[in-house]
Amino acid sequence: MSEVAVGALAARGDDLATLTHAEAAFVRTLVRAHAAIVLDESKSYLIERRLAPVARDTGAGSVSELVASLRSSPRPQLRDLVVDALTTNETSWFRDRHPFDALQHHVLPPLIDARRANRTLTVWCGAASTGQEPFSLAILIREHFPELSSWNVRIVATDISRTALEQARSGLYGQIEINRGMHASYISRYFQRDGTKFRLDNKIRSMVEFRELNLVGPWTGVPRSDLVLLRNVMIYFDPATKTQILHKIATDVLRPDGVLILGGAETTLNLTDEYTRVQKGTCGWYQRKAAG
Ligand SMILES: C[S@@+](CC[C@H](N)C(=O)[O-])C[C@H]1O[C@@H](n2cnc3c(N)ncnc32)[C@H](O)[C@@H]1O
């Protein structure tokens, strides 16, 4: 008997062969092995929908053909396209607001005091997606900490998704993206119209350097940082991967008095005891426990 078809795409009339359980399982295993992203079985429809453009662009007749081609000869280039298509790049400007309030009022002021002697501040944003998060931070710094304009401020923003990084580097955003959290007064201050889109001003773009980096690969070029933003990415990983990443940040990235900010649904609890949580009102962040 043939493998049982999954998803309801045929019923929806999509011009695609429906993925079999085995094909969907192959894709889930590949994405997990390469990027640690856990897609549960209920996400088969998502696999098919997201891979349809990849199938088209690579000349495969269908997603099933694309999967067959990967199964028969696992080419890294094709695999990367598949992984990229299956990342969720959901983001917005000043996302969740509270972390940015905390940065402005509680996190950055003491860090800046502590770094005044060498006037250097280094930030790593480890899942930057299309750039809204590191650019929001850059705008916040420019708006509220004018002193830093003469400092060496480095914001290194990384992500596994090449497509997301391409947009981040372009600084181009559509109306809907702008509507998601960008303050009206900042639109006139920091964006220029570019056709139907908005282009972020170079004075903000130049504050952020974007790089491709897989959080479960080598962390080449991740700087020792005063501040690490790793928000809304560990939700996709299993507990062992989260523990590994949090440990690596504590030992290799975060300075002893540095600050780690996670997403609202993320925590170090039950994963590692290398951090202390600091809570101020509605926002919490993490610091390394003092040695000894
Ligand atoms: C939901 S977005 C979060 C973006 C931003 N941090 C925010 O909170 O708005 C998750 C991002 O994590 C990235 N990602 C997923 N797995 C990754 C991995 N293994 N290494 C690096 N980035 C990854 C995705 O490409 C995506 O852009």
Side-chain angles (χ1 to χ4, degrees):
M1 208 168 84
S2 67
E3 292 160 354
V4 184
V6 293
L9 283 155
R12 288 193 353 224
D14 297 47
D15 187 20
L16 296 164
T18 304
L19 278 187
T20 63
H21 275 303
E23 288 164 341
F26 172 82
V27 174
R28 280 200 305 275
T29 305
L30 178 126
V31 170
R32 188 167 184 163
H34 184 66
I37 297 170
V38 181
L39 295 170
D40 65 50
E41 284 196 36
S42 67
K43 295 279 163 59
S44 294
Y45 72 95
L46 177 135
I47 294 178
E48 181 133 11
R49 186 161 46 81
R50 298 245 187 111
L51 293 189
V54 181
R56 270 195 299 273
D57 294 351
T58 56
S62 64
V63 176
S64 289
E65 259 186 59
L66 172 73
V67 173
S69 154
L70 264 174
R71 277 171 118 171
S72 61
S73 65
R75 283 158 290 157
Q77 253 182 329
L78 192 57
R79 177 206 60 201
D80 290 352
L81 290 177
V82 165
V83 170
D84 188 334
L86 289 168
T87 58
T88 297
N89 308 121
E90 165 77 16
T91 188
S92 55
W93 303 98
F94 302 94
R95 184 173 185 177
D96 302 335
R97 214 194 78 234
H98 298 301
F100 290 92
D101 290 346
L103 280 165
Q104 182 185 336
H105 298 292
H106 306 296
V107 172
L108 285 173
L111 267 180
I112 290 169
D113 284 346
R115 299 296 180 270
R116 197 159 273 117
N118 58 5
R119 292 151 57 93
T120 297
L121 190 75
T122 308
V123 181
W124 177 42
C125 177
S129 185
T130 41
Q132 284 88 330
E133 181 171 73
F135 285 146
S136 296
L137 175 68
I139 291 173
L140 183 145
I141 287 177
R142 199 175 162 99
E143 286 283 320
H144 300 286
F145 301 96
E147 172 189 2
L148 298 195
S149 62
S150 61
W151 285 33
N152 175 17
V153 176
R154 249 190 111 194
I155 305 176
V156 175
T158 63
D159 200 282
I160 197 174
S161 165
R162 277 182 206 154
T163 5
L165 289 170
E166 206 175 298
Q167 181 183 351
R169 288 192 185 103
S170 78
L172 260 185
Y173 298 94
Q175 182 74 62
I176 293 172
E177 289 167 313
I178 291 292
N179 290 349
R180 299 193 62 203
M182 180 48 70
H183 311 325
S185 63
Y186 293 170
I187 300 177
S188 49
R189 266 217 292 292
Y190 295 117
F191 289 86
Q192 286 97 46
R193 272 276 187 187
D194 190 330
T196 58
K197 303 210 166 192
F198 295 79
R199 190 181 291 278
L200 184 61
D201 204 290
N202 203 39
K203 55 181 180 263
I204 298 299
R205 282 167 60 201
S206 61
M207 289 173 71
V208 182
E209 71 196 70
F210 288 98
R211 306 231 192 102
E212 186 179 327
L213 183 128
N214 183 350
L215 288 165
V216 290
W219 288 14
T220 316
V222 173
R224 272 265 165 210
S225 300
D226 304 301
L227 172 64
V228 174
L229 302 177
L230 194 74
R231 300 176 60 221
N232 306 303
V233 61
M234 287 203 298
I235 42 172
Y236 301 105
F237 301 157
D238 62 25
T241 308
K242 293 181 200 189
T243 300
Q244 243 173 44
I245 289 173
L246 288 168
H247 173 67
K248 218 162 151 182
I249 292 174
T251 52
D252 299 348
V253 179
L254 206 57
R255 290 192 198 281
D257 60 345
V259 168
L260 165 68
I261 301 190
L262 302 177
E266 292 161 331
T267 173
T268 62
L269 208 67
N270 300 326
L271 297 169
T272 170
D273 58 5
E274 292 164 295
Y275 297 89
T276 316
R277 184 174 165 93
V278 183
Q279 184 77 36
K280 276 262 160 52
T282 42
C283 189
W285 59 89
Y286 297 88
Q287 294 205 272
R288 279 170 55 184
K289 275 188 186 154

